[in-house]
Amino acid sequence: MANKLLSEMGLPKSIANVFTARNLLTAKDVLSLTEFELMEVLDVGLAEVTSAVAQVSEIACPPYQTVLFLLEQRIKNEFYSGHLPTRLKGLDEVLCGGIPFGVLTELVGPAGIGKTQFCMKLSLLASLPAKFGGLDGRAIYVDVESKFSSRRLIEIGVNSFPELFHMEGMAQEMAGRILVLKPASLAEFTDSLQQIKVSLLQHEVKLLVIDSMTALVSGEFEQGTPKQHPLGWHISFIKSLAEFSQIPVVVTNQVRSQSRNEVSQYCFQAQSRDDILEGPVTFDSHLVPALGIHWAHAVTIRLVLEVKSGERFMKVAKSPISPPLVFPFKITSSGISLLTDAGVEMTGPQINTIRNQGLFLTFLIRFNTFMGCFHVLCM
């Protein structure tokens, strides 16, 4: 509203013309000056300046809204928008239907935890015909890290929806509804966003996935959060895309080691700074989302995927409609599957803790077992 043009505010022509002559074109230009500065610049009296400033302020400032009005608007918006069901019963229940439209949903976790697999499953769900529970549209998948696998996508589809994918030509049709972009740099990604905006208008796009945001600024966060976020403009643009198009937007975020001066940024994140700094450092300690606090404020839903003692867990760490809950899960031929639909509520530091303990060890054990069997067979 601060950038609203004075020419569109219905000011008296005598004042509006003087503003224009002095190159004061927007509400921000006027409200950034004191009344006495305006008197000097415009060469008019205090009464005229006070009247003009009052009128500009009234138009530029957003009106007050009651909680009842906001609640009615939200119900109306949800009726016209909705959710993308994940087919994970427990998760869909706590999110009131699935991944919400019109906001950013973030998947954060260490490499290999299952973020890309979840995103590929969501892409399939968005492209499925409505009679199969899908959104019957297209999905745009921005594959920054080149981890998207068309073969794995078809495998997930065949095992999740065999009655559909075994129909002649349906696998090709579903795969054809998922558009994959592979920007190689932040500059290419910026250009891709403009292309995506046009696609949202011209095509029946029902989902946007960006996997991952972190790879676009690799190395920027190694020494902690920078003073100026390198994705500041992109964050605002992606949020506006979600709000404008009213589709679910899912982004992935990696993890990084937490620096010492970040350990106790918030009182609820750690019980004692001294205890953390003096305590033993374990393999999974001090992992935080790589993109920092600025990015965290932009997302509405944050799902944390982590590993503890070789077992995978999905946490609803941030949601305006759900308490913090955690679900154990596994990765199968049909994608991510919850081991139980009853989430366990979390409290205290565990809400923001990200563990990565035991996944690599479990892989080594299984690999060594396999190699042992292979050795026996070859003897």
Side-chain angles (χ1 to χ4, degrees):
M1 296 299 287
N3 292 322
K4 188 175 181 64
L5 295 174
L6 297 176
S7 58
E8 300 175 356
M9 291 189 174
L11 297 173
K13 287 188 176 181
S14 58
I15 295 294
N17 292 336
V18 175
F19 279 145
T20 303
R22 300 298 189 276
N23 201 31
L24 299 176
L25 305 178
T26 67
K28 183 178 180 180
D29 294 337
V30 174
L31 299 178
S32 298
L33 301 175
T34 67
E35 292 179 338
F36 293 105
E37 288 173 331
L38 287 172
M39 289 173 59
E40 182 178 353
V41 171
L42 303 177
D43 193 23
V44 295
L46 179 60
E48 290 90 338
V49 167
T50 302
S51 176
V53 168
Q55 189 169 350
V56 170
S57 299
E58 183 178 358
I59 297 174
C61 294
Y64 291 107
Q65 297 174 325
T66 66
V67 174
L68 177 60
F69 175 80
L70 294 174
L71 180 60
E72 291 173 345
Q73 286 295 110
R74 178 173 179 176
I75 294 173
K76 180 180 178 181
N77 290 338
E78 288 184 351
F79 176 79
Y80 287 108
S81 56
H83 299 79
L84 170 61
T86 66
R87 300 294 182 96
L88 303 176
K89 182 179 178 182
L91 181 63
D92 286 342
E93 287 179 354
V94 301
L95 295 181
C96 298
I99 306 299
F101 292 5
V103 298
L104 301 188
T105 297
E106 176 195 42
L107 302 178
V108 57
I113 190 65
K115 300 186 297 295
T116 297
Q117 307 235 20
F118 193 18
C119 289
M120 288 193 290
K121 182 67 171 285
L122 291 176
S123 299
L124 274 177
L125 292 171
S127 62
L128 284 180
K131 65 180 181 180
F132 287 93
L135 300 182
D136 199 17
R138 294 176 178 269
I140 295 179
Y141 197 111
V142 183
D143 181 25
V144 181
E145 297 184 316
S146 298
K147 290 184 178 180
F148 184 91
S149 169
S150 56
R151 178 173 295 183
R152 175 59 174 150
L153 179 80
I154 298 301
E155 180 186 16
I156 292 174
V158 168
N159 288 281
S160 300
F161 314 102
E163 69 282 8
L164 175 64
F165 274 75
H166 285 149
M167 295 172 60
E168 185 177 356
M170 288 305 296
Q172 290 85 344
E173 181 178 341
M174 292 298 98
R177 293 185 177 187
I178 301 173
L179 313 176
V180 181
L181 300 177
K182 293 179 176 288
S185 65
L186 185 57
E188 285 189 18
F189 175 68
T190 304
D191 294 337
S192 297
L193 287 178
Q194 301 294 344
Q195 179 182 348
I196 289 169
K197 185 175 181 179
V198 174
S199 297
L200 294 180
L201 295 171
Q202 296 179 345
H203 305 288
E204 287 293 317
V205 176
K206 298 297 178 70
L207 173 69
L208 171 61
V209 175
I210 303 175
D211 183 22
S212 74
M213 293 295 296
T214 321
L216 294 166
V217 287
S218 179
E220 295 282 347
F221 294 91
E222 292 178 358
Q223 302 300 324
T225 306
K227 293 181 179 179
Q228 184 175 3
H229 203 290
L231 293 175
W233 178 87
H234 302 81
I235 293 171
S236 299
F237 190 87
I238 295 168
K239 282 193 67 177
S240 68
L241 279 181
E243 295 169 0
F244 163 74
S245 60
Q246 283 299 299
I247 64 170
V249 175
V250 178
V251 296
T252 65
N253 189 0
Q254 298 172 4
V255 296
R256 62 179 175 85
S257 298
Q258 189 177 32
S259 61
R260 286 175 174 264
N261 60 356
E262 295 178 283
V263 171
S264 248
Q265 283 186 339
Y266 299 99
C267 59
F268 57 80
Q269 286 184 308
Q271 295 178 346
S272 169
R273 178 183 175 88
D274 294 335
D275 290 344
I276 291 179
L277 294 180
E278 295 176 3
V281 177
T282 59
F283 179 67
D284 64 329
S285 65
H286 307 329
L287 291 180
V288 296
L291 293 180
I293 296 297
H294 187 186
W295 169 257
H297 290 321
V299 301
T300 300
I301 306 291
R302 167 171 279 178
L303 303 178
V304 174
L305 280 63
E306 64 175 9
V307 180
K308 183 179 180 182
S309 301
E311 300 295 326
R312 289 179 166 92
F313 294 91
M314 177 184 293
K315 300 193 298 190
V316 182
K318 179 184 179 183
S319 169
I321 56 177
S322 168
L325 297 173
V326 59
F327 299 89
F329 76 93
K330 63 180 180 179
I331 297 178
T332 67
S333 59
S334 59
I336 284 181
S337 175
L338 299 183
L339 299 179
T340 174
D341 291 323
V344 178
E345 189 165 350
M346 301 176 291
T347 58
Q350 63 177 313
I351 298 173
N352 296 286
T353 301
I354 301 178
R355 298 182 177 89
N356 188 22
Q357 184 185 60
L359 184 63
F360 184 65
L361 179 61
T362 302
F363 166 77
L364 286 179
I365 293 173
R366 292 177 179 175
F367 179 76
N368 289 333
T369 302
F370 167 79
M371 290 303 295
C373 295
F374 179 77
H375 178 71
V376 170
L377 291 174
C378 291
M379 290 180 64

